[in-house]
Amino acid sequence: MTRHVEPPIGRLIRRQRLRRAMTQVALADALAAASGNRSVSRDQVSRWEGGGRVPGPYWRGWLGVVLGLPPRELDRAAAEARAVRLLSNAGALAGHRY
């Protein structure tokens, strides 16, 4: 039996942003306008897309609004990103000698 794996949230955000022909700056601006919260920046969008950070529930909600994604899909993609990070960290620890 094969398990369907969701793409990590960073890939999902990037794919949807590019489908809408948006830059990272444009996405950050759209998120700020929709949410009324100016704390989001291109750097934050870049960290989300690069896998350095996983957007929390607040920003996932606004990403869903701006990118037209269902909350459930964003939540699954966030969980997948966390799982990938945990596996990556576990692999790094396994190779570390004390």
Coordinates of all heavy atoms in Angstrom, one line a residue:
M1 N 0.8 -1.2 0.0 CA 0.0 0.0 0.0 C 0.9 1.2 0.0 O 1.8 1.4 0.8 CB -0.9 0.0 1.2 CG -1.9 1.1 1.2 SD -3.1 0.8 2.5 CE -3.0 2.2 3.4
T2 N 0.6 2.2 -0.9 CA 1.4 3.4 -1.0 C 0.7 4.5 -0.3 O -0.5 4.7 -0.5 CB 1.6 3.8 -2.5 OG1 2.2 2.6 -3.1 CG2 2.5 5.0 -2.6
R3 N 1.4 5.3 0.5 CA 0.8 6.4 1.2 C 1.0 7.7 0.3 O 2.1 7.9 -0.2 CB 1.6 6.6 2.5 CG 1.1 7.8 3.3 CD 1.8 7.9 4.7 NE 2.9 8.7 4.8 CZ 2.9 10.0 5.0 NH1 1.8 10.7 4.9 NH2 4.0 10.7 5.2
H4 N -0.1 8.4 0.1 CA 0.0 9.7 -0.6 C 0.7 10.7 0.3 O 0.2 10.9 1.4 CB -1.4 10.2 -1.0 CG -1.3 11.5 -1.6 ND1 -0.8 11.7 -2.9 CD2 -1.7 12.7 -1.2 CE1 -0.9 13.0 -3.2 NE2 -1.5 13.6 -2.2
V5 N 1.7 11.3 -0.2 CA 2.5 12.3 0.6 C 2.2 13.7 0.1 O 2.3 13.9 -1.1 CB 4.0 12.0 0.6 CG1 4.8 13.1 1.3 CG2 4.3 10.6 1.1
E6 N 1.7 14.5 1.0 CA 1.5 15.9 0.6 C 2.8 16.6 0.4 O 3.8 16.3 1.1 CB 0.7 16.6 1.7 CG -0.7 16.1 2.0 CD -1.6 16.4 0.8 OE1 -1.5 17.5 0.2 OE2 -2.5 15.6 0.6
P7 N 2.9 17.6 -0.5 CA 4.1 18.4 -0.5 C 4.3 19.2 0.7 O 3.3 19.6 1.3 CB 3.9 19.3 -1.8 CG 2.5 19.4 -1.9 CD 1.9 18.1 -1.4
P8 N 5.5 19.4 1.2 CA 5.7 20.3 2.3 C 5.1 21.7 2.0 O 5.0 22.1 0.9 CB 7.2 20.4 2.5 CG 7.7 19.1 1.9 CD 6.8 18.9 0.7
I9 N 4.7 22.4 3.0 CA 4.0 23.7 2.9 C 4.8 24.7 2.0 O 4.2 25.5 1.3 CB 3.6 24.3 4.2 CG1 2.5 25.3 4.0 CG2 4.7 24.7 5.0 CD1 1.7 25.7 5.1
G10 N 6.1 24.7 2.2 CA 6.9 25.6 1.4 C 6.8 25.5 -0.1 O 6.6 26.4 -0.8
R11 N 6.8 24.2 -0.5 CA 6.6 24.0 -2.0 C 5.2 24.3 -2.4 O 5.0 24.9 -3.5 CB 6.8 22.5 -2.3 CG 8.3 22.2 -2.4 CD 8.5 20.8 -3.0 NE 9.4 20.1 -2.1 CZ 9.4 18.8 -1.9 NH1 8.5 18.0 -2.6 NH2 10.2 18.2 -1.1
L12 N 4.2 24.1 -1.6 CA 2.8 24.4 -1.9 C 2.6 25.9 -2.0 O 2.0 26.4 -3.0 CB 1.9 23.8 -0.8 CG 0.4 24.1 -0.9 CD1 -0.1 23.5 -2.2 CD2 -0.4 23.6 0.3
I13 N 3.2 26.7 -1.1 CA 3.1 28.1 -1.1 C 3.7 28.6 -2.4 O 3.2 29.4 -3.1 CB 3.7 28.8 0.1 CG1 2.9 28.4 1.4 CG2 3.9 30.3 -0.1 CD1 3.7 28.8 2.7
R14 N 4.9 28.2 -2.7 CA 5.7 28.6 -3.9 C 4.9 28.3 -5.2 O 4.7 29.2 -6.0 CB 7.1 28.0 -3.9 CG 7.9 28.5 -5.1 CD 9.3 28.0 -5.0 NE 10.2 28.7 -5.9 CZ 10.3 28.5 -7.2 NH1 9.6 27.5 -7.8 NH2 11.1 29.2 -7.9
R15 N 4.4 27.1 -5.2 CA 3.7 26.7 -6.4 C 2.4 27.5 -6.6 O 2.2 28.0 -7.8 CB 3.3 25.2 -6.3 CG 2.5 24.7 -7.5 CD 2.3 23.2 -7.5 NE 1.5 22.9 -6.3 CZ 1.6 21.8 -5.6 NH1 2.5 20.8 -5.9 NH2 0.8 21.5 -4.5
Q16 N 1.7 27.8 -5.6 CA 0.5 28.6 -5.7 C 0.8 30.1 -6.0 O 0.1 30.7 -6.8 CB -0.4 28.5 -4.4 CG -1.0 27.1 -4.2 CD -1.9 26.7 -5.4 OE1 -1.6 25.8 -6.1 NE2 -3.0 27.4 -5.6
R17 N 1.9 30.6 -5.4 CA 2.3 31.9 -5.7 C 2.7 32.1 -7.1 O 2.2 33.1 -7.8 CB 3.5 32.3 -4.8 CG 4.1 33.7 -5.0 CD 5.2 34.0 -4.1 NE 6.4 33.1 -4.2 CZ 7.3 33.2 -5.2 NH1 7.2 34.1 -6.2 NH2 8.3 32.4 -5.2
L18 N 3.4 31.2 -7.7 CA 3.9 31.3 -9.0 C 2.7 31.1 -10.0 O 2.7 31.7 -11.1 CB 5.0 30.2 -9.3 CG 6.3 30.5 -8.6 CD1 7.3 29.3 -8.9 CD2 6.9 31.8 -9.0
R19 N 1.7 30.3 -9.7 CA 0.5 30.1 -10.5 C -0.2 31.4 -10.6 O -0.9 31.7 -11.6 CB -0.4 29.0 -9.9 CG 0.0 27.7 -10.2 CD -1.0 26.7 -9.7 NE -0.5 25.3 -10.0 CZ -0.9 24.2 -9.4 NH1 -1.9 24.3 -8.5 NH2 -0.5 23.0 -9.8
R20 N -0.1 32.2 -9.6 CA -0.8 33.5 -9.6 C 0.2 34.7 -10.1 O -0.2 35.8 -10.0 CB -1.3 33.9 -8.2 CG -2.5 33.1 -7.9 CD -2.8 33.1 -6.4 NE -4.0 32.4 -6.1 CZ -4.2 31.1 -6.3 NH1 -3.3 30.3 -6.7 NH2 -5.4 30.5 -6.0
A21 N 1.4 34.3 -10.6 CA 2.4 35.2 -11.2 C 2.7 36.3 -10.1 O 2.8 37.5 -10.5 CB 1.9 35.8 -12.5
M22 N 2.8 35.8 -8.9 CA 3.2 36.8 -7.8 C 4.6 36.6 -7.4 O 5.1 35.5 -7.4 CB 2.3 36.5 -6.6 CG 0.8 36.7 -6.7 SD -0.1 36.2 -5.3 CE 0.1 37.6 -4.3
T23 N 5.3 37.7 -7.1 CA 6.6 37.7 -6.4 C 6.4 37.4 -5.0 O 5.3 37.5 -4.4 CB 7.4 39.0 -6.6 OG1 6.6 40.0 -5.9 CG2 7.5 39.4 -8.1
Q24 N 7.5 37.1 -4.3 CA 7.4 37.0 -2.8 C 7.0 38.3 -2.2 O 6.2 38.3 -1.2 CB 8.8 36.5 -2.2 CG 9.1 35.1 -2.6 CD 10.4 34.6 -2.1 OE1 11.3 35.4 -1.8 NE2 10.6 33.3 -2.0
V25 N 7.5 39.4 -2.7 CA 7.0 40.7 -2.2 C 5.5 40.9 -2.4 O 4.8 41.4 -1.5 CB 7.8 41.9 -2.9 CG1 7.3 43.2 -2.5 CG2 9.3 41.8 -2.5
A26 N 5.0 40.6 -3.6 CA 3.6 40.7 -3.8 C 2.8 39.8 -2.9 O 1.7 40.3 -2.4 CB 3.3 40.4 -5.3
L27 N 3.2 38.6 -2.6 CA 2.5 37.8 -1.7 C 2.5 38.4 -0.3 O 1.5 38.4 0.4 CB 3.1 36.4 -1.7 CG 2.5 35.4 -0.7 CD1 0.9 35.3 -0.9 CD2 3.1 34.0 -0.8
A28 N 3.7 38.9 0.2 CA 3.8 39.5 1.5 C 2.8 40.7 1.6 O 2.1 40.9 2.6 CB 5.2 39.9 1.8
D29 N 2.8 41.5 0.5 CA 1.9 42.7 0.5 C 0.5 42.2 0.5 O -0.4 42.9 1.2 CB 2.2 43.5 -0.7 CG 3.5 44.3 -0.7 OD1 4.1 44.3 0.4 OD2 4.0 44.8 -1.7
A30 N 0.1 41.2 -0.2 CA -1.3 40.7 -0.3 C -1.7 40.2 1.1 O -2.8 40.4 1.6 CB -1.4 39.7 -1.3
L31 N -0.8 39.5 1.8 CA -1.1 38.9 3.1 C -1.2 40.1 4.1 O -2.2 40.0 4.9 CB 0.1 38.0 3.6 CG 0.2 36.7 2.9 CD1 1.5 36.0 3.2 CD2 -1.0 35.8 3.3
A32 N -0.4 41.1 4.0 CA -0.5 42.2 4.9 C -1.8 43.0 4.7 O -2.5 43.4 5.6 CB 0.7 43.2 4.7
A33 N -2.2 43.2 3.4 CA -3.4 43.9 3.1 C -4.7 43.1 3.6 O -5.6 43.6 4.2 CB -3.5 44.1 1.6
A34 N -4.7 41.8 3.3 CA -5.8 40.9 3.7 C -6.0 40.8 5.2 O -7.1 40.9 5.7 CB -5.7 39.5 3.1
S35 N -4.8 40.7 5.9 CA -4.9 40.5 7.4 C -4.9 41.8 8.2 O -5.3 41.7 9.4 CB -3.7 39.6 7.8 OG -2.5 40.4 7.7
G36 N -4.4 42.9 7.6 CA -4.3 44.1 8.3 C -3.0 44.1 9.2 O -2.9 44.9 10.1
N37 N -2.2 43.1 9.0 CA -1.0 42.9 9.8 C 0.2 43.1 9.0 O 0.5 42.3 8.1 CB -1.0 41.4 10.4 CG 0.1 41.1 11.4 OD1 1.1 41.8 11.3 ND2 -0.1 40.1 12.2
R38 N 1.0 44.1 9.2 CA 2.1 44.5 8.4 C 3.4 43.8 8.8 O 4.5 44.1 8.3 CB 2.3 46.0 8.4 CG 1.2 46.7 7.7 CD 1.7 47.1 6.4 NE 0.5 47.5 5.6 CZ 0.4 47.2 4.3 NH1 1.2 46.4 3.7 NH2 -0.7 47.7 3.6
S39 N 3.3 42.8 9.7 CA 4.5 42.2 10.2 C 5.1 41.1 9.2 O 6.2 40.6 9.4 CB 4.3 41.5 11.6 OG 3.4 40.4 11.4
V40 N 4.4 40.8 8.2 CA 4.8 39.8 7.2 C 5.7 40.5 6.2 O 5.4 41.6 5.8 CB 3.7 39.0 6.6 CG1 2.8 39.9 5.7 CG2 4.2 37.8 5.8
S41 N 6.8 39.8 5.8 CA 7.7 40.4 4.8 C 8.1 39.4 3.8 O 7.8 38.2 3.9 CB 9.0 40.9 5.5 OG 9.7 39.8 6.0
R42 N 8.8 39.9 2.7 CA 9.3 39.0 1.7 C 10.3 38.0 2.3 O 10.3 36.8 2.0 CB 10.1 39.8 0.6 CG 10.5 38.8 -0.5 CD 11.8 39.2 -1.2 NE 12.9 39.2 -0.4 CZ 13.7 38.1 -0.1 NH1 13.4 37.0 -0.6 NH2 14.7 38.3 0.6
D43 N 11.0 38.4 3.3 CA 12.0 37.5 4.0 C 11.2 36.3 4.7 O 11.7 35.2 4.6 CB 12.8 38.2 5.0 CG 13.8 39.1 4.4 OD1 14.2 38.9 3.2 OD2 14.2 40.1 5.1
Q44 N 10.1 36.6 5.3 CA 9.3 35.6 5.9 C 8.7 34.6 4.9 O 8.8 33.4 5.1 CB 8.2 36.2 6.7 CG 7.4 35.2 7.6 CD 6.6 35.9 8.6 OE1 6.4 37.1 8.6 NE2 6.0 35.2 9.5
V45 N 8.2 35.1 3.8 CA 7.7 34.3 2.7 C 8.8 33.4 2.2 O 8.6 32.2 2.0 CB 7.1 35.1 1.6 CG1 6.8 34.3 0.4 CG2 5.8 35.9 2.1
S46 N 10.0 34.0 2.0 CA 11.2 33.2 1.6 C 11.5 32.1 2.6 O 11.8 30.9 2.1 CB 12.4 34.1 1.4 OG 13.5 33.4 1.0
R47 N 11.5 32.3 3.8 CA 11.8 31.3 4.8 C 10.7 30.2 4.8 O 11.0 29.0 4.9 CB 11.9 31.9 6.2 CG 13.2 32.7 6.5 CD 13.4 33.0 7.9 NE 12.4 34.0 8.4 CZ 12.5 35.3 8.3 NH1 13.5 35.8 7.8 NH2 11.5 36.0 8.9
W48 N 9.4 30.6 4.6 CA 8.4 29.6 4.5 C 8.6 28.7 3.3 O 8.6 27.5 3.3 CB 7.0 30.2 4.3 CG 6.5 30.9 5.5 CD1 6.8 30.7 6.8 CD2 5.5 31.9 5.5 NE1 6.1 31.6 7.6 CE2 5.3 32.3 6.9 CE3 4.7 32.6 4.5 CZ2 4.4 33.3 7.2 CZ3 3.8 33.5 4.9 CH2 3.6 33.9 6.2
E49 N 8.9 29.3 2.1 CA 9.1 28.6 0.9 C 10.3 27.7 0.9 O 10.4 26.6 0.4 CB 9.1 29.5 -0.3 CG 7.8 30.1 -0.6 CD 7.8 31.0 -1.9 OE1 8.9 31.1 -2.5 OE2 6.8 31.6 -2.2
G50 N 11.4 28.2 1.6 CA 12.6 27.4 1.7 C 12.6 26.3 2.7 O 13.6 25.6 2.8
G51 N 11.6 26.3 3.5 CA 11.5 25.2 4.5 C 12.2 25.6 5.9 O 12.3 24.8 6.8
G52 N 12.7 26.8 6.0 CA 13.3 27.3 7.2 C 12.3 27.5 8.3 O 12.7 27.4 9.5
R53 N 11.1 27.8 7.9 CA 10.0 28.1 8.9 C 8.7 27.5 8.4 O 8.6 27.3 7.2 CB 9.8 29.6 9.1 CG 10.9 30.4 9.6 CD 11.1 30.2 11.1 NE 9.9 30.5 11.8 CZ 9.8 31.0 13.0 NH1 10.9 31.4 13.6 NH2 8.7 31.2 13.6
V54 N 7.9 27.1 9.3 CA 6.5 26.6 8.9 C 5.5 27.7 9.4 O 5.6 28.0 10.6 CB 6.2 25.3 9.6 CG1 4.8 24.9 9.3 CG2 7.2 24.2 9.1
P55 N 4.7 28.3 8.6 CA 3.8 29.3 9.0 C 2.8 28.7 10.0 O 2.3 27.6 9.9 CB 3.1 29.7 7.8 CG 3.3 28.7 6.8 CD 4.6 28.0 7.1
G56 N 2.6 29.5 11.1 CA 1.6 29.0 12.1 C 0.2 29.1 11.6 O -0.1 29.6 10.5
P57 N -0.7 28.7 12.5 CA -2.2 28.7 12.1 C -2.7 30.1 11.6 O -3.5 30.2 10.7 CB -2.9 28.3 13.4 CG -1.9 27.6 14.2 CD -0.5 28.2 13.8
Y58 N -2.2 31.2 12.3 CA -2.7 32.5 11.9 C -2.3 32.8 10.4 O -3.2 33.2 9.6 CB -2.0 33.6 12.8 CG -2.3 35.0 12.4 CD1 -3.5 35.6 12.8 CD2 -1.4 35.7 11.6 CE1 -3.8 36.9 12.4 CE2 -1.7 37.0 11.3 CZ -2.9 37.6 11.7 OH -3.2 38.9 11.3
W59 N -1.0 32.6 10.1 CA -0.6 32.9 8.7 C -1.1 31.9 7.7 O -1.4 32.2 6.6 CB 0.9 33.1 8.6 CG 1.3 34.4 9.1 CD1 2.1 34.6 10.2 CD2 0.9 35.7 8.7 NE1 2.2 36.0 10.5 CE2 1.5 36.7 9.6 CE3 0.1 36.2 7.7 CZ2 1.3 38.1 9.4 CZ3 -0.1 37.6 7.5 CH2 0.5 38.5 8.4
R60 N -1.3 30.6 8.1 CA -1.9 29.6 7.2 C -3.3 30.0 6.9 O -3.7 29.9 5.7 CB -1.9 28.2 7.9 CG -0.5 27.6 7.9 CD -0.5 26.1 8.1 NE -1.3 25.7 9.3 CZ -0.8 25.5 10.5 NH1 0.5 25.8 10.7 NH2 -1.5 25.0 11.5
G61 N -4.0 30.6 7.8 CA -5.4 31.0 7.5 C -5.4 32.1 6.4 O -6.2 32.1 5.5
W62 N -4.5 33.1 6.5 CA -4.4 34.2 5.6 C -3.8 33.7 4.2 O -4.2 34.1 3.2 CB -3.6 35.4 6.1 CG -4.4 36.0 7.2 CD1 -4.2 36.1 8.5 CD2 -5.7 36.7 7.0 NE1 -5.2 36.8 9.2 CE2 -6.1 37.2 8.2 CE3 -6.5 37.0 5.9 CZ2 -7.3 37.9 8.4 CZ3 -7.7 37.7 6.0 CH2 -8.1 38.1 7.3
L63 N -2.9 32.8 4.3 CA -2.3 32.2 3.1 C -3.5 31.5 2.3 O -3.6 31.6 1.1 CB -1.2 31.2 3.3 CG 0.1 31.8 3.7 CD1 1.0 30.7 4.4 CD2 0.8 32.3 2.5
G64 N -4.4 30.8 3.0 CA -5.5 30.2 2.4 C -6.4 31.2 1.7 O -6.8 31.0 0.5
V65 N -6.6 32.3 2.3 CA -7.5 33.4 1.7 C -6.8 33.9 0.5 O -7.4 34.0 -0.6 CB -7.7 34.5 2.7 CG1 -8.4 35.7 2.1 CG2 -8.6 34.0 3.9
V66 N -5.5 34.3 0.6 CA -4.8 35.0 -0.5 C -4.5 34.0 -1.7 O -4.6 34.4 -2.8 CB -3.5 35.6 0.0 CG1 -2.6 36.1 -1.1 CG2 -3.9 36.8 1.0
L67 N -4.2 32.8 -1.4 CA -3.8 31.8 -2.4 C -4.9 30.9 -2.8 O -4.7 30.1 -3.7 CB -2.6 31.0 -2.0 CG -1.3 31.8 -1.7 CD1 -0.2 30.9 -1.2 CD2 -0.8 32.5 -3.0
G68 N -6.1 31.0 -2.2 CA -7.2 30.2 -2.6 C -7.0 28.8 -2.2 O -7.5 27.9 -3.0
L69 N -6.4 28.5 -1.1 CA -6.2 27.1 -0.7 C -7.0 26.8 0.5 O -7.2 27.6 1.4 CB -4.7 26.9 -0.3 CG -3.7 27.0 -1.4 CD1 -2.3 27.1 -0.9 CD2 -3.8 25.8 -2.3
P70 N -7.6 25.5 0.6 CA -8.4 25.1 1.7 C -7.5 25.0 3.0 O -6.4 24.5 2.9 CB -9.0 23.8 1.3 CG -8.5 23.5 0.0 CD -7.5 24.5 -0.5
P71 N -8.0 25.4 4.1 CA -7.3 25.3 5.4 C -6.7 23.9 5.6 O -5.6 23.7 6.1 CB -8.3 25.7 6.5 CG -9.3 26.5 5.7 CD -9.3 26.0 4.3
R72 N -7.5 22.9 5.3 CA -7.1 21.5 5.5 C -5.9 21.1 4.7 O -5.0 20.4 5.2 CB -8.3 20.5 5.2 CG -8.0 19.1 5.5 CD -9.2 18.3 5.2 NE -9.4 17.4 6.3 CZ -10.5 17.0 6.8 NH1 -11.6 17.3 6.3 NH2 -10.5 16.2 7.8
E73 N -5.8 21.6 3.5 CA -4.6 21.3 2.7 C -3.4 22.0 3.2 O -2.3 21.4 3.3 CB -4.9 21.8 1.2 CG -3.8 21.5 0.3 CD -4.1 21.8 -1.2 OE1 -5.2 22.3 -1.5 OE2 -3.2 21.7 -2.0
L74 N -3.5 23.2 3.7 CA -2.4 23.9 4.3 C -2.0 23.2 5.6 O -0.8 23.1 5.9 CB -2.8 25.4 4.6 CG -2.8 26.3 3.3 CD1 -3.6 27.5 3.5 CD2 -1.4 26.6 2.8
D75 N -2.9 22.8 6.4 CA -2.6 22.1 7.6 C -1.8 20.8 7.4 O -0.8 20.5 8.1 CB -3.8 21.9 8.5 CG -4.4 23.1 9.0 OD1 -3.8 24.2 9.1 OD2 -5.6 23.1 9.4
R76 N -2.3 20.0 6.4 CA -1.6 18.8 6.0 C -0.2 19.1 5.5 O 0.8 18.4 5.9 CB -2.4 18.0 5.0 CG -3.5 17.3 5.6 CD -4.1 16.2 4.6 NE -4.5 16.9 3.3 CZ -5.8 17.0 2.9 NH1 -6.8 16.6 3.7 NH2 -6.1 17.6 1.8
A77 N -0.1 20.1 4.7 CA 1.3 20.5 4.2 C 2.2 20.9 5.3 O 3.4 20.7 5.2 CB 1.1 21.5 3.1
A78 N 1.7 21.6 6.3 CA 2.5 22.1 7.4 C 2.9 20.9 8.2 O 4.1 20.8 8.6 CB 1.7 23.1 8.3
A79 N 2.0 19.9 8.4 CA 2.4 18.7 9.1 C 3.5 17.9 8.4 O 4.4 17.4 9.0 CB 1.2 17.8 9.4
E80 N 3.4 17.9 7.1 CA 4.4 17.2 6.2 C 5.7 17.9 6.4 O 6.8 17.2 6.5 CB 3.9 17.2 4.8 CG 4.8 16.3 3.9 CD 4.8 14.8 4.3 OE1 3.8 14.3 4.7 OE2 5.9 14.2 4.0
A81 N 5.7 19.2 6.4 CA 7.0 20.0 6.5 C 7.6 19.7 7.9 O 8.9 19.5 8.0 CB 6.7 21.5 6.3
R82 N 6.8 19.6 8.9 CA 7.4 19.3 10.2 C 7.9 17.9 10.3 O 9.0 17.6 10.9 CB 6.3 19.5 11.3 CG 6.0 20.9 11.6 CD 5.1 21.0 12.8 NE 4.5 22.3 12.8 CZ 3.3 22.6 12.3 NH1 2.5 21.6 11.8 NH2 2.8 23.8 12.3
A83 N 7.2 16.9 9.6 CA 7.7 15.5 9.6 C 9.0 15.4 8.8 O 10.0 14.7 9.3 CB 6.7 14.6 8.9
V84 N 9.2 16.2 7.7 CA 10.4 16.2 6.9 C 11.5 16.7 7.8 O 12.6 16.2 7.8 CB 10.2 17.0 5.6 CG1 11.6 17.3 5.0 CG2 9.3 16.2 4.7
R85 N 11.2 17.8 8.5 CA 12.3 18.4 9.4 C 12.7 17.5 10.5 O 13.9 17.3 10.8 CB 11.7 19.7 10.0 CG 12.8 20.4 10.8 CD 12.3 21.7 11.4 NE 12.1 22.7 10.4 CZ 11.5 23.8 10.6 NH1 10.9 24.1 11.7 NH2 11.4 24.7 9.6
L86 N 11.7 16.8 11.1 CA 12.1 15.8 12.2 C 12.9 14.7 11.7 O 13.9 14.3 12.3 CB 10.8 15.3 12.8 CG 10.0 16.2 13.8 CD1 8.7 15.5 14.2 CD2 10.9 16.5 15.0
L87 N 12.6 14.2 10.5 CA 13.4 13.1 9.9 C 14.8 13.6 9.6 O 15.8 12.8 9.8 CB 12.7 12.5 8.7 CG 11.4 11.7 8.9 CD1 10.7 11.4 7.6 CD2 11.7 10.4 9.7
S88 N 14.9 14.8 9.1 CA 16.2 15.3 8.7 C 17.0 15.5 10.0 O 18.2 15.2 10.0 CB 16.0 16.7 8.0 OG 17.2 17.3 7.8
N89 N 16.4 16.0 11.0 CA 17.1 16.2 12.3 C 17.5 14.9 12.9 O 18.6 14.8 13.4 CB 16.3 17.0 13.3 CG 16.2 18.5 12.9 OD1 16.9 19.0 12.1 ND2 15.2 19.2 13.4
A90 N 16.7 13.9 12.8 CA 17.0 12.6 13.4 C 18.2 12.0 12.6 O 19.1 11.4 13.2 CB 15.8 11.7 13.3
G91 N 18.2 12.1 11.3 CA 19.3 11.6 10.5 C 20.6 12.3 10.9 O 21.7 11.7 10.9
A92 N 20.5 13.6 11.1 CA 21.7 14.3 11.4 C 22.3 13.9 12.8 O 23.5 13.8 13.0 CB 21.5 15.8 11.4
L93 N 21.3 13.7 13.7 CA 21.8 13.2 15.1 C 22.3 11.8 15.0 O 23.3 11.5 15.8 CB 20.6 13.3 16.0 CG 20.1 14.7 16.5 CD1 18.9 14.6 17.3 CD2 21.2 15.4 17.2
A94 N 21.8 11.0 14.2 CA 22.3 9.6 14.1 C 23.7 9.6 13.6 O 24.5 8.7 14.0 CB 21.4 8.8 13.2
G95 N 24.1 10.5 12.8 CA 25.4 10.5 12.3 C 26.4 11.3 13.1 O 27.6 11.3 12.9
H96 N 25.9 11.9 14.2 CA 26.8 12.7 15.1 C 27.4 11.8 16.1 O 26.8 11.0 16.8 CB 25.9 13.8 15.8 CG 26.7 14.7 16.7 ND1 27.5 15.7 16.1 CD2 26.8 14.8 18.0 CE1 28.1 16.3 17.1 NE2 27.7 15.8 18.2
R97 N 28.7 12.0 16.3 CA 29.5 11.2 17.3 C 29.7 12.1 18.5 O 30.2 13.2 18.4 CB 30.8 10.7 16.8 CG 30.6 9.7 15.7 CD 31.9 9.3 15.1 NE 31.6 8.4 14.0 CZ 31.9 7.1 13.9 NH1 32.4 6.5 15.0 NH2 31.6 6.5 12.8
Y98 N 29.5 11.5 19.7 CA 29.7 12.3 20.9 C 31.0 12.0 21.5 O 31.7 11.1 21.5 CB 28.6 11.9 22.0 CG 27.2 12.4 21.5 CD1 26.4 11.5 20.8 CD2 26.8 13.7 21.7 CE1 25.2 11.9 20.4 CE2 25.6 14.1 21.3 CZ 24.7 13.2 20.6 OH 23.5 13.6 20.2

